[in-house]
Amino acid sequence: MFKKTYKPFALLTLSFTLLLAGCSGGNNANSTNESQPKSTQTAASVATTVPTVDMLKIAGSNNGYPSPFAFSSSGPFGYLRNSFIFDTLTWKDDKGVIPWLAKSWETSKDGLTYTFKLEENVKWHDGQAFTADDVVFSYNYYKTYPYNWNGDISQIKSVEKVNDLTVAFHLNNAYEPFLSDLVGIVPIIPKHVWEKVTKPVEFRDAAALVGTGPYKLKKYDSASGQYLYEANDNFFKGQVLVKEIAYMSAANKLLALQNGEIDQAYTTSYADVQSAEKAGLKTIKSDPTGSVVRISFNMDHPKLGDKKLRQAIAYALNREEISAKVTGGTPMVGNAGVVPTNSPWYNKNVKQYAYDPAQAEKILDELGYKKNANGVREDLKLNLMTSSAMPDATMMKEMLKKVGIELNLVQLDSAAFTVALGENKYDIALTGHIGASGDPDYLRLWFSGKAANTYSSRGKSLKLDEFHKLADKQMQEVNDAKRHEIVNQMQDILAEELPTLVLYHRPFYEIHKAATFDRWKNTYGGIADGMPLWENKVFLVNVKK
C-alpha cells in the first residue's frame, strides 16, 4: 500500500546521515522537489550537551496574544511568537523538512494517505502526555475554529487515529506541499484544554498557552508589545540552548545593538548592515529573498480593469531606481510573475516590463487618455492607498506624473488599510509582505483569497479561470519537472494580466552579537510557508534526533 517512508535509524557513527524520503508523493521513488531538497539528519539518539545562554534580547513589537487563535495575522511575527510554544508534525531547518512531533512517516502510492509515527514520551507543558488523540482533535477543531495562519486544511478528508502514537491523514486529492505547508505549519493543540472551548479567540486562561514547544510564555505586556519566554527544560527534541528570550521595543535598533540593549534585530536597510559590520556585529542576508513590495490593482475598477492600462503603469515605473533608493543595496527588480528572481521556481522566460516611459505614453494615447495643456491626462486620476509613509509611493507619484497620470496618495492606518483591501475599496494599493521563499503554492493561496496574511487581499479571488485551473493542477502534480512547467505558466498569466506588479524583491538582513548567540542560519525555503527570517526554534535547540 505504501511506497515512501521517512524513518530515522540509530547508526554506529555520528557522521553518517540519512536522506529524507517521503517528501514527495511522486511516481518515481527517487524524485526530488527542487524547492524542498532531501533533508539530512545526523543519526544520534543523544546529543552532546553544549553551553547555554541565560538571556537573548531581540528587537520586537506587539504581535498579539500568542495562542493559535489570537496572534496578529498582519505579518509573520505573530506566527513566530506562537511557534515557540506550539509544535507541528514536521518542521524545517537549513536543509529542508525534518521530523518534529512526528518521528517518521509513510506515503501511499496514490499520494492520498500519509501515516505518521509520533514521538514517544512527549509531554504538554502541564505534564500531561501528548498522543494521537491530540493530533486528530486539533485538525477537527480547526475545521470549526480556523487556525490564524496558513495551512490549507481543506485538502484533508479525514484524520484517523491508528493507535496512541500513530495517525493517518486521508486527503481529498494529492497535495504536493502537504509536508511543508500543511502539517509543517498547523500546530497541534492539547485536547484536554481546548475540547470545551467554544470561543478560542477570546480564550485567555493560562491553559491557552499550554503547548509542547521549547518555550513557555513567562510574561506578555500587550501595551508595550514585550514578550518574555522561558525554556522548557523537558523539551522532547533536546536541550534548549537559550534559557530566556525577551522581545523588546527598540526605537533605534542599530543603536540599541551597539549599546548592548538588545542582542539581535533585523533590517531591510543595507546602510544599517554596513554600519553594523563596521561596529563588529554579524549579519546574515535572507536567501532566497522571500519578500515582495508590490502594488495591487483593483481589477473591478472601471479603468484599471483594462490590462493595457496596468501594463502602461508598469512601463512608467523605474522599479530599479525605486529598489536602489529604498533598500540601499543591489537592486532586485520585481518579477512580473511575482516569484522572486532568485527562487528555484522563477520562470526566467516570463514577460517583464523594463522602464520605458515612451511605451507607457504610447499605450495611454492608444487608450484615449489625452493630455491637457499642462501635460495631465484629466480622465486618468488615480488613488494610491498605503498603510504607512512609504518613500516608494512618493517616487511612484513623480514617475507617473511624467507620463501624465495624476496619482493621489491616500495613507490609512493598518486596520483601515486591510479592511479596504478585503472590500476592494481602492484603486491601487501599495503593500509589502513576505512568504515567497518556499513552495509556490502560495500563488494559489494569494490569488484565490485564501492567504492568511491580511496584506494579501484576503477574501478576494482573481477572476482568471485558466490561472485557477493551473493553480489546482500544480498542487497535485508530483513530478517535479511537470510541476515547474505549470508554475511557469502561472507566472506567464500573472505577468500578462498584471493583477499585481512587484516593484522589487526586498532582502531582509539579520544583525546579531555573535559573542552572545551565533547559531542563526537561513531556513531552507523559509520558516513554515516561506518566511525569510531567522527566529527558527530549531536553531535554539541542540536537537538530539
Side-chain angles (χ1 to χ4, degrees):
M1 176 183 178
F2 293 100
K3 69 171 182 115
K4 289 218 176 168
T5 62
Y6 182 105
K7 195 173 293 185
F9 295 92
L11 299 177
L12 297 177
T13 172
L14 297 182
S15 63
F16 191 79
T17 58
L18 287 173
L19 288 177
L20 174 64
C23 281
S24 169
N27 294 324
N28 182 346
N30 295 316
S31 65
T32 63
N33 184 327
E34 188 173 351
S35 77
Q36 193 63 68
K38 304 297 186 186
S39 173
T40 59
Q41 291 295 300
T42 300
S45 59
V46 180
T48 304
T49 300
V50 299
T52 59
V53 175
D54 289 334
M55 169 73 78
L56 187 62
K57 295 170 288 185
I58 304 176
S61 58
N62 186 27
N63 300 110
Y65 186 71
S67 88
F69 304 92
F71 65 80
S72 171
S73 62
S74 63
F77 298 103
Y79 177 90
L80 292 174
R81 304 291 186 271
N82 172 260
S83 72
F84 280 13
I85 301 171
F86 294 89
D87 287 316
T88 50
L89 293 179
T90 66
W91 194 242
K92 288 182 188 175
D93 63 9
D94 56 320
K95 301 295 193 300
V97 170
I98 59 175
W100 207 247
L101 280 172
K103 65 179 181 180
S104 64
W105 53 83
E106 295 178 334
T107 311
S108 63
K109 290 183 178 180
D110 58 9
L112 297 180
T113 299
Y114 288 75
T115 302
F116 294 89
K117 294 288 187 181
L118 305 178
E119 286 281 1
E120 301 173 3
N121 302 316
V122 178
K123 300 291 185 182
W124 293 100
H125 292 157
D126 61 6
Q128 293 207 34
F130 158 78
T131 71
D133 290 323
D134 296 306
V135 179
V136 174
F137 169 80
S138 296
Y139 279 89
N140 287 334
Y141 192 81
Y142 289 131
K143 289 181 179 180
T144 303
Y145 307 105
Y147 176 53
N148 206 28
W149 197 247
N150 290 328
D152 189 359
I153 66 170
S154 68
Q155 303 298 325
I156 299 171
K157 182 177 182 180
S158 64
V159 185
E160 170 195 3
K161 174 184 175 180
V162 178
N163 57 48
D164 283 349
L165 291 174
T166 308
V167 291
F169 284 72
H170 305 287
L171 307 186
N172 294 311
N173 45 255
Y175 182 55
E176 186 63 7
F178 178 76
L179 290 171
S180 61
D181 284 24
L182 211 172
V183 296
I185 291 177
V186 178
I188 306 304
I189 56 177
K191 178 181 179 181
H192 66 273
V193 169
W194 293 92
E195 61 185 341
K196 295 182 180 179
V197 178
T198 58
K199 295 182 179 180
V201 176
E202 301 172 14
F203 187 45
R204 292 292 188 277
D205 188 273
L209 299 182
V210 169
T212 58
Y215 287 93
K216 304 174 185 179
L217 187 67
K218 187 174 182 179
K219 185 178 180 180
Y220 166 56
D221 185 343
S222 59
S224 63
Q226 299 190 74
Y227 301 75
L228 179 62
Y229 291 88
E230 62 180 350
N232 173 13
D233 291 332
N234 298 312
F235 186 50
F236 71 96
K237 266 295 184 182
Q239 176 192 15
V240 182
L241 300 177
V242 179
K243 294 306 178 184
E244 290 189 322
I245 296 178
Y247 283 96
M248 308 173 64
S249 301
N252 185 319
K253 292 184 284 189
L254 187 58
L255 184 61
L257 276 163
Q258 293 172 331
N259 291 340
E261 298 167 14
I262 58 174
D263 305 304
Q264 180 188 346
Y266 88 94
T267 183
T268 58
S269 169
Y270 186 65
D272 284 351
V273 171
Q274 293 174 310
S275 297
E277 291 178 344
K278 287 180 181 177
L281 297 165
K282 189 170 180 178
T283 65
I284 306 173
K285 182 180 180 180
S286 58
D287 180 28
T289 302
S291 174
V292 301
V293 174
R294 64 181 178 125
I295 53 175
S296 292
F297 297 103
N298 183 346
M299 302 287 278
D300 294 331
H301 188 278
K303 294 184 173 65
L304 290 167
D306 189 332
K307 72 177 181 183
K308 291 183 179 179
L309 176 56
R310 302 193 295 271
Q311 291 175 349
I313 291 173
Y315 283 120
L317 296 175
N318 189 338
R319 294 179 288 144
E320 183 173 357
E321 180 181 332
I322 295 173
S323 174
K325 288 185 176 179
V326 173
T327 67
T330 302
M332 191 173 177
V333 176
N335 170 24
V338 178
V339 176
T341 53
N342 65 345
S343 165
W345 293 97
Y346 170 59
N347 176 4
K348 64 181 181 180
N349 297 316
V350 73
K351 179 178 182 178
Q352 300 293 357
Y353 296 84
Y355 179 52
D356 191 345
Q359 179 65 11
E361 297 258 27
K362 179 175 181 292
I363 295 173
L364 293 170
D365 289 341
E366 291 173 350
L367 291 173
Y369 297 114
K370 304 300 181 184
K371 290 182 177 179
N372 62 18
N374 296 319
V376 177
R377 301 177 192 271
E378 293 183 345
D379 294 334
L380 192 55
K381 296 181 179 181
L382 300 170
N383 292 322
L384 176 66
M385 182 178 74
T386 70
S387 61
S388 61
M390 299 173 74
D392 322 55
T394 303
M395 284 185 273
M396 286 178 58
K397 180 181 177 73
E398 293 304 311
M399 290 172 185
L400 292 181
K401 183 179 180 181
K402 292 179 181 178
V403 298
I405 299 176
E406 186 175 318
L407 193 64
N408 179 45
L409 305 185
V410 179
Q411 184 177 333
L412 304 177
D413 62 50
S414 59
F417 182 89
T418 55
V419 169
L421 271 180
E423 295 180 350
N424 234 31
K425 294 180 179 178
Y426 65 96
D427 296 348
I428 307 172
L430 174 60
T431 181
H433 53 267
I434 69 176
S437 295
D439 192 277
D441 194 50
Y442 69 83
L443 294 175
R444 177 181 67 89
L445 296 173
W446 281 14
F447 296 105
S448 63
K450 295 181 180 179
N453 191 324
T454 53
Y455 292 118
S456 301
S457 299
R458 179 166 54 181
K460 197 66 181 177
S461 179
L462 180 64
K463 296 176 182 176
L464 290 172
D465 290 343
E466 183 58 28
F467 177 87
H468 293 302
K469 289 177 182 177
L470 291 168
D472 288 341
K473 186 177 179 181
Q474 63 78 27
M475 73 175 182
Q476 299 180 45
E477 180 53 68
V478 296
N479 179 282
D480 292 333
K482 291 180 179 179
R483 191 169 185 231
H484 269 268
E485 180 53 37
I486 297 169
V487 173
N488 283 348
Q489 293 176 52
M490 292 168 66
Q491 292 177 69
D492 286 336
I493 291 175
L494 292 173
E496 175 63 26
E497 298 294 334
L498 282 187
T500 188
L501 175 68
V502 179
L503 298 179
Y504 54 92
H505 299 287
R506 173 180 55 183
F508 280 32
Y509 304 92
E510 189 268 353
I511 306 174
H512 68 274
K513 296 171 66 176
T516 303
F517 190 76
D518 195 28
R519 289 173 60 97
W520 301 116
K521 301 177 183 179
N522 279 308
T523 298
Y524 185 86
I527 299 171
D529 53 343
M531 302 175 190
L533 298 168
W534 297 272
E535 293 155 58
N536 185 338
K537 59 189 174 186
V538 73
F539 303 134
L540 294 163
V541 178
N542 187 26
V543 177
K544 63 184 178 182
K545 57 182 176 179

